[in-house]
Amino acid sequence: MHVLAVLVGLATGTAVAGAVFAFISAIGIVQHMSRMSGTRHRVRIYENAIIWGGVLGVIATIANLHIPMHYIAVVGLSLAVGVFIGVLSMSLAEALNVIPVLTRRIKMRKGIFWLIIALALGKMTGSILYFVVSGFYTQGG
């Protein structure tokens, strides 16, 4: 029975991961991100980073890996990951025209820059609260 559960878990996980990667690829987020950052010649690196990051993240989660690092390395790595995810999510929002649709719906003519800053600061504040404040995150649970 446990073998069946493992096989079903692997199959469904593979299907979901494949769907996520197909979605990212189909709407052209990586290409858009590379075009906006002026790094079109590095699209293959971005695609490989997304795939290997997903694969290694799953392996680290399943194996419950803990990599000892100095706190400065953790801060640097966290900053790099945060910037990458921020750029990726903004590319997704731009590719799907989220910001233009939102500003049209709320009839916003000025202050779009401040709207984007507020969204980014809200996301950052939520992330900090999630990881720092007791009760937002419970280990193993």
Side-chain angles (χ1 to χ4, degrees):
M1 190 62 162
H2 293 289
V3 173
L4 180 62
V6 168
L7 291 175
V8 168
L10 285 173
T12 56
T14 301
V16 169
V20 169
F21 291 135
F23 175 71
I24 288 172
S25 180
I27 63 175
I29 295 174
V30 176
Q31 290 78 10
H32 184 73
M33 182 176 67
S34 68
R35 188 173 49 250
M36 297 305 288
S37 65
T39 56
R40 278 190 182 167
H41 58 285
R42 294 201 169 100
V43 170
R44 181 76 68 200
I45 294 171
Y46 293 139
E47 291 170 344
N48 287 334
I50 292 169
I51 291 169
W52 282 108
V55 169
L56 295 175
V58 167
I59 291 170
T61 301
I62 290 172
N64 201 19
L65 293 179
H66 296 281
I67 302 169
M69 287 196 280
H70 193 269
Y71 70 92
I72 293 175
V74 171
V75 168
L77 183 63
S78 299
L79 181 64
V81 168
V83 167
F84 181 76
I85 290 178
V87 169
L88 191 67
S89 63
M90 286 308 294
S91 293
L92 173 62
E94 192 170 318
L96 297 176
N97 291 325
V98 171
I99 301 296
V101 169
L102 174 67
T103 56
R104 259 195 323 269
R105 294 230 184 223
I106 63 175
K107 296 179 173 67
M108 182 177 216
R109 302 281 182 242
K110 296 180 183 177
I112 295 173
F113 172 79
W114 294 110
L115 172 68
I116 293 172
I117 293 296
L119 291 170
L121 290 175
K123 176 64 177 165
M124 182 183 75
T125 303
S127 296
I128 290 170
L129 288 173
Y130 180 80
F131 289 109
V132 173
V133 176
S134 177
F136 278 90
Y137 177 81
T138 55
Q139 186 70 27

